[in-house]
Amino acid sequence: MSDSYLTLTKVKNDLRKDNELLKEHSGRLDEQNKLLNRTSAQLKSMNLALSLESGELMEQIENLTYTNTQLTQEHKQLVQYTSEQEEKKLNMSETIKHLVSSNTQLQEEKQRLSETNSLLRDELLQRICKKCPDSWRLLETKCYYFSSRMLSWSSSRAWCRTQGGDLLIINSEQEQSITRLWIGLTDAEEEDDWRWVDGSKVNSDPDDWKLDDPLGEDCGHVDTSENALKSWMDGSCKKPYRWICEKNI
């Protein structure tokens, strides 16, 4: 009996200890459960925050993707624009080279023209300043020779040509005011087709035939003894008259 009591007492004490341990363990479990609940709430809050952040990140990713697409297109456009500009630059370089070459040629041509102009100016000055040969008279830009001898029209013209001139072609009233001299006028090739010795027709002023028709003779002379203006006459080419030659300076 005594042993049973002791055993029961021991069992009771053991149970009491176990119960206290269980209570202590239960308390710890409650604390852990509370901690887990708090942790769960925190995790839920964090999960919600992460979900929001994930949405924002997805939106940012979409925006970045759109921006990247635009930048890619802009990059392609810039590459194309750069290529076009390089081509234009190359074309402009070629154009500049061509313009420089053309400018050089123009400068050379300008120099040649300037030199030619200088030579022509010097030649003109020399011609203007040059005196007519002895026995010739200067009138404006031509030299005139008034003969003192009398020859036929053909011989008169031949003499003028040996001197580098020809019989006078009347182009002004000054040249008209001459007394009975052979002039460079003839219709020897075709009757009544009067031409100057340079081949030009008598078809403009001055046209100063005397009132008599110039028919029947083939060579022209002037006789200003009566009227200096109406003084052209036809005559026999073999008849001797004095003559007048003209030539350019």
Side-chain angles (χ1 to χ4, degrees):
M1 184 72 177
S2 176
D3 292 334
S4 298
Y5 177 78
L6 290 173
T7 300
L8 289 172
T9 301
K10 183 179 178 181
V11 170
K12 181 180 179 181
N13 290 332
D14 291 337
L15 289 173
R16 187 181 293 115
K17 290 179 180 179
D18 290 339
N19 185 48
E20 289 177 356
L21 289 172
L22 288 172
K23 287 181 179 180
E24 183 179 353
H25 184 66
S26 176
R28 287 198 297 269
L29 289 175
D30 289 338
E31 291 295 329
Q32 290 179 357
N33 186 50
K34 291 178 181 179
L35 179 61
L36 288 174
N37 288 333
R38 288 196 299 271
T39 302
S40 176
Q42 291 176 352
L43 289 173
K44 288 180 179 180
S45 177
M46 291 175 62
N47 183 57
L48 179 60
L50 289 173
S51 296
L52 294 174
E53 289 180 2
S54 176
E56 292 176 355
L57 288 173
M58 290 299 296
E59 184 177 356
Q60 291 179 5
I61 289 172
E62 290 178 358
N63 292 334
L64 289 173
T65 301
Y66 176 75
T67 302
N68 181 65
T69 301
Q70 286 186 321
L71 290 174
T72 301
Q73 293 177 350
E74 290 178 1
H75 178 263
K76 290 181 180 179
Q77 292 175 353
L78 285 173
V79 169
Q80 182 178 357
Y81 176 78
T82 302
S83 177
E84 292 174 353
Q85 293 301 312
E86 288 294 333
E87 185 176 357
K88 288 182 179 179
K89 179 181 178 182
L90 180 61
N91 292 336
M92 289 182 66
S93 297
E94 293 297 326
T95 302
I96 290 173
K97 289 181 181 179
H98 177 70
L99 290 175
V100 169
S101 177
S102 297
N103 182 65
T104 302
Q105 293 177 354
L106 288 174
Q107 290 293 335
E108 293 175 353
E109 183 66 19
K110 178 182 177 182
Q111 181 65 26
R112 286 195 296 269
L113 290 174
S114 178
E115 293 174 356
T116 301
N117 182 62
S118 179
L119 291 174
L120 290 174
R121 184 176 62 252
D122 292 343
E123 181 180 350
L124 179 60
L125 289 174
Q126 290 177 3
R127 291 182 63 184
I128 292 175
C129 296
K130 181 180 178 181
K131 294 181 179 180
C132 294
D134 293 340
S135 301
W136 290 68
R137 300 180 190 177
L138 176 64
L139 177 61
E140 294 182 350
T141 60
K142 292 184 179 181
C143 292
Y144 296 88
Y145 175 80
F146 297 85
S147 73
S148 58
R149 295 179 295 155
M150 299 177 68
L151 294 174
S152 67
W153 188 90
S154 298
S155 297
S156 299
R157 187 184 185 197
W159 189 92
C160 290
R161 291 169 70 88
T162 62
Q163 304 301 310
D166 211 330
L167 285 173
L168 172 67
I169 298 174
I170 296 178
N171 292 311
S172 67
E173 291 186 4
Q174 288 178 305
E175 293 178 332
Q176 177 71 22
S177 302
I178 302 169
T179 302
R180 189 163 290 191
L181 298 170
W182 283 126
I183 57 176
L185 189 61
T186 180
D187 69 344
E189 293 188 6
E190 183 178 348
E191 182 65 26
D192 203 28
D193 181 20
W194 288 92
R195 292 179 180 269
W196 296 107
V197 288
D198 64 357
S200 59
K201 291 178 65 68
V202 180
N203 55 7
S204 60
D205 291 336
D207 186 351
D208 293 314
W209 291 106
K210 281 197 170 184
L211 295 179
D212 296 336
D213 291 335
L215 298 175
E217 305 293 348
D218 295 331
C219 293
H221 64 91
V222 293
D223 182 0
T224 60
S225 58
E226 297 179 3
N227 185 342
L229 295 180
K230 296 294 181 180
S231 61
W232 295 4
M233 299 180 65
D234 61 335
S236 172
C237 298
K238 296 181 180 180
K239 189 172 182 178
Y241 286 125
R242 290 184 296 118
W243 70 92
I244 181 169
C245 303
E246 69 174 347
K247 65 179 178 179
N248 294 322
I249 296 177

